[in-house]
Amino acid sequence: MTPQRLAVAKVLADSEEHLSADKIYERVKVDFPFTSLATIYKTVTLLKQMGEVMELGFVDDSNRYDGIRPFPHPHLICLKCKRIIDPDIPVLNELSTELAQKTGYRIINHRLDFFGICPKCQNQKKRQIKS
Ligand SMILES: [Zn+2]
Ligand SMILES: [Zn+2]
C-alpha cells in the first residue's frame, strides 16, 4: 500500500460519518495535497475488493463509504442533511440470521436503509417555524 492509500484507509477507519468520495478527498488532501479524486476512487474500489470498506450506493451517484463496519448492516439516513448512521439495534442484526433459518437461504448480502429526518434537522425546522 502506498502512503496515499493508507491515508484513505485511515480516514475511512476513523470516521463514523459514512463519507462520500469528495469528503475523503478533502481529508486526504490535507496530508497529500497532490492527491486526485480519481486516486481516491481507485483506492476506495481497491479497499472494497479487499473487504475493508463497504459501499453504500445511491441513485444520485452520491455513494458513501463505511470503513468501520465493512459488512452489511442497517443504515439510518437523514433526507435533509444526508447524515448516515448505524442504528445499533440488535433485532435488526438478527434479521438475516432469522431469515436464513426460516428460508434455508445462505444470506450473502443485504441492504436495509431507513430514511427519515434526524433529530438535529427536526429541531432546525421547529426553530424556523417559530421565527
Ligand atoms: Zn439531518
Ligand atoms: Zn454503516
Side-chain angles (χ1 to χ4, degrees), residues 78-83 116-122:
C78 177
L79 293 166
K80 287 238 167 212
C81 65
K82 309 288 183 207
R83 210 166 89 93
I117 313 290
C118 75
K120 223 171 155 183
C121 290
Q122 288 180 48

Side-chain angles (χ1 to χ4, degrees), residues 33-95:
F34 299 110
T35 305
S36 67
L37 189 56
T39 304
I40 303 292
Y41 273 112
K42 256 187 256 165
T43 308
V44 164
T45 305
L46 194 80
L47 290 169
K48 216 171 71 185
Q49 284 161 359
M50 290 163 66
E52 301 284 332
V53 161
M54 197 201 50
E55 181 176 48
L56 277 173
F58 292 100
V59 278
D60 60 353
D61 226 21
S62 57
N63 290 3
R64 306 274 284 263
Y65 302 92
D66 191 335
I68 294 184
R69 295 175 186 85
F71 45 82
H73 58 274
H75 283 103
L76 200 50
I77 301 162
C78 177
L79 293 166
K80 287 238 167 212
C81 65
K82 309 288 183 207
R83 210 166 89 93
I84 301 179
I85 64 162
D86 298 332
D88 202 7
I89 297 171
V91 71
L92 291 176
N93 300 320
E94 286 156 20
L95 265 180

